Amino acid sequence: MPAEKPKERADAARNRRAILDATRTLLAEHGAEALTMDRVAAAAGVGKGTIFHRFGSRSGLLYALVAEPAETLMAAIASGPPPLGPGAPAPDRLLAFFDAMTLMMADNVELMAAYTGSAMPPHPRTAEFHATWDDHITVLLGEARPDLDAQAAGRLLFSSVGSEVARAMVRADEVDRLRTAIRQLVESVLRQPL
């Protein structure tokens, strides 16, 4: 039986949440270039040492921010309500997944800029996250369109969500337009050929 994870103290949990929320706010308001540990500490109402003690480094803080929405989406596709979670037809689940992924990217566009724009190594769970998305898309697309190379087509569809074009649309406040375009793109692949 695996050992239970020790319960986080209430004040530590509050500080963690305040730091993560402050970092997200600073990224959204000022962009990746303006993110400093001093600004995060001031916005979170904690000492800079608290951030370093909790996250180890700027990279550790960014890793935590990247992991949080990815873990939430992983849980939703594994056991959340349909259509994102199990129980809906494959095309509906695929459309729900791409919409959720597009929103996750849009909500975190500055975080991704900070993460990819730095010289930090890949997130320790990058392979796990990407394998989850790849497997999920491949299975659903394979079920909906067995005539396709589901893995290759799925990867091409997925690459559109994180593309420079998509990020530019988010920064131009065209999230709804992007969501519509991604949905139309996925729907066009889901349609059976005549």
Side-chain angles (χ1 to χ4, degrees), residues 65-183:
L65 285 169
V66 167
E68 200 172 53
E71 290 167 347
T72 299
L73 184 54
M74 286 171 67
I77 65 175
S79 59
L84 190 55
D92 295 346
R93 291 194 73 198
L94 198 60
L95 288 166
F97 171 78
F98 272 96
D99 191 55
M101 183 58 73
T102 302
L103 286 174
M104 185 172 82
M105 182 279 294
D107 290 345
N108 294 285
V109 72
E110 291 302 329
L111 168 61
M112 297 316 295
Y115 175 71
T116 57
S118 66
M120 59 193 271
H123 190 287
R125 295 179 64 194
T126 295
E128 174 192 356
F129 295 148
H130 286 211
T132 299
W133 313 144
D134 190 54
D135 292 346
H136 185 64
I137 294 166
T138 300
V139 167
L140 293 176
L141 192 54
E143 187 178 320
R145 286 289 309 275
D147 58 310
L148 288 181
D149 177 341
Q151 187 178 54
R155 287 176 178 175
L156 289 167
L157 285 172
F158 187 71
S159 69
S160 66
V161 175
S163 69
E164 188 54 46
V165 170
R167 289 193 300 270
M169 290 177 74
V170 170
R171 287 188 172 125
D173 202 26
E174 295 182 332
V175 174
D176 289 338
R177 183 177 179 208
L178 175 63
R179 289 175 70 191
T180 299
I182 295 285
R183 180 176 187 86

Side-chain angles (χ1 to χ4, degrees), residues 10-93:
D11 62 329
R14 274 192 308 275
N15 284 345
R16 180 180 195 283
R17 184 79 264 144
I19 293 165
L20 292 174
D21 290 346
T23 305
R24 281 196 193 285
T25 299
L26 288 169
L27 283 168
E29 292 176 358
H30 304 289
E33 300 78 30
L35 185 67
T36 67
M37 296 308 241
D38 288 324
R39 281 185 169 176
V40 172
V46 300
K48 193 161 76 168
T50 300
I51 298 172
F52 283 106
H53 176 74
R54 180 63 195 225
F55 298 101
S57 64
R58 182 178 193 266
S59 295
L61 175 58
L62 294 176
Y63 286 157
L65 285 169
V66 167
E68 200 172 53
E71 290 167 347
T72 299
L73 184 54
M74 286 171 67
I77 65 175
S79 59
L84 190 55
D92 295 346
R93 291 194 73 198

